[in-house]
Amino acid sequence: MDIQLSISLLASDRPAALERCLDSLRPLLMQVPSELIVVATGTDARVREAAARYTGQVIPFAWCDDFSAARNAGLREAKGEWFLYIDDDEWFEDTAEIRDFFLSGEYKNYGTAFYRVRNYLDWDGIRYFDFHAFRMARITSETAFQNPIHEELVPRRGASKFFGAYVHHYGYIVGGRGAGTGKTSRNIPILLQDVRRNPGYIKNYVQLTREYYVRREWGKAEEYCRKGRRL
């Protein structure tokens, strides 16, 4: 069977979140010629057991503060025409639009695709904002991830498809239920280290501004916003 779509995700030590993510991918895996690749970056045995119920491709990866390195480990195993990646704390509301994109043959007319990420601002799911994230691409010999954090696929070639399909994401809520600043505490040191390595890379300043904004550290947010603007 020719594989149209390789789906890859990073799995940390969040077994319940992972199961919810994997359940949302089940329709794609059942209806589209596809494969699932899980890159296990944590140490929780329950995560690998959960992943093994969905796929035989569970890749252990020693975490090294480099998301692109982990993503590329999954990409190297991909055998599909297209590659889709997702985080284990995200889950699709409905994948029918993506399914039809492949089953209809429409995917042959595109080189990249964006689906929406719905970032919630409260635990009740009332306040949120959506943005189109570049999470899908046709695989070529040059396809790879770059940047240690807020990684992205390169190169971008061909026409782009923008899906209305979206994933839920609660990872940036501040306060309550033990979440909020955990991601920013992880992200900021990696971004600062990359700024030292690549002081002219503007995206890092944009992301640092956002991370400090989420933490309500307004002075730091302004500092990196102004540094980025000067570049």
Side-chain angles (χ1 to χ4, degrees):
M1 179 186 72
D2 291 333
I3 299 173
Q4 291 180 338
L5 178 63
S6 295
I7 304 172
S8 182
L9 64 90
L10 304 186
S12 55
D13 289 336
R14 297 180 288 200
L18 175 64
E19 293 245 27
R20 183 172 56 192
C21 175
L22 293 172
D23 281 344
S24 79
L25 294 171
R26 191 189 298 272
L28 276 179
L29 294 169
M30 293 179 64
Q31 298 168 11
V32 175
S34 56
E35 63 176 349
L36 174 64
I37 304 163
V38 176
V39 180
T41 64
T43 59
D44 192 330
R46 294 173 299 170
V47 166
R48 298 188 187 188
E49 290 168 5
R53 291 196 288 271
Y54 291 80
T55 180
Q57 297 187 83
V58 181
I59 304 169
F61 182 87
W63 183 243
C64 59
D65 285 340
D66 190 327
F67 282 88
S68 282
R71 297 283 188 197
N72 283 326
L75 179 59
R76 284 193 293 271
E77 300 299 318
K79 301 178 181 65
E81 293 181 62
W82 275 66
F83 188 82
L84 180 157
Y85 70 100
I86 186 171
D87 290 334
D88 64 350
D89 64 344
E90 300 171 340
W91 70 99
F92 275 103
E93 175 67 20
D94 188 344
T95 57
E97 188 180 7
I98 298 175
R99 175 202 65 198
D100 293 345
F101 178 69
F102 287 97
L103 294 186
S104 69
E106 183 185 5
Y107 74 99
K108 297 177 183 178
N109 301 321
Y110 293 90
T112 61
F114 296 67
Y115 63 77
R116 291 188 294 156
V117 177
R118 177 159 294 179
N119 280 303
Y120 290 95
L121 302 175
D122 57 52
W123 288 110
D124 295 325
I126 297 172
R127 296 186 301 123
Y128 61 83
F129 66 92
D130 290 356
F131 77 96
H132 273 101
F134 174 41
R135 296 285 190 85
M136 298 173 61
R138 185 182 301 276
I139 296 176
T140 72
S141 60
E142 298 174 282
T143 304
F145 286 91
Q146 67 177 17
N147 304 330
I149 193 164
H150 300 298
E151 66 282 10
E152 57 187 355
L153 274 171
V154 293
R156 297 191 189 189
R157 290 179 179 164
S160 295
K161 172 74 174 183
F162 288 83
F163 291 109
Y166 65 91
V167 293
H168 301 276
H169 183 237
Y170 283 80
Y172 282 106
I173 299 175
V174 176
R177 303 192 191 180
T181 59
K183 281 194 172 183
T184 63
S185 297
R186 176 202 67 193
N187 294 351
I188 288 173
I190 301 175
L191 284 165
L192 290 174
Q193 184 179 31
D194 202 45
V195 163
R196 290 190 289 271
R197 285 195 300 255
N198 302 294
Y201 185 55
I202 293 175
K203 183 179 178 181
N204 284 336
Y205 297 89
V206 175
Q207 296 295 345
L208 277 166
T209 300
R210 180 172 181 240
E211 301 290 346
Y212 283 119
Y213 181 87
V214 168
R215 293 175 68 90
R216 297 189 172 95
E217 295 186 24
W218 314 122
K220 285 289 188 181
E222 180 180 354
E223 175 188 346
Y224 283 95
C225 179
R226 290 187 180 280
K227 288 180 177 179
R229 289 191 66 183
R230 281 198 294 271
L231 288 172

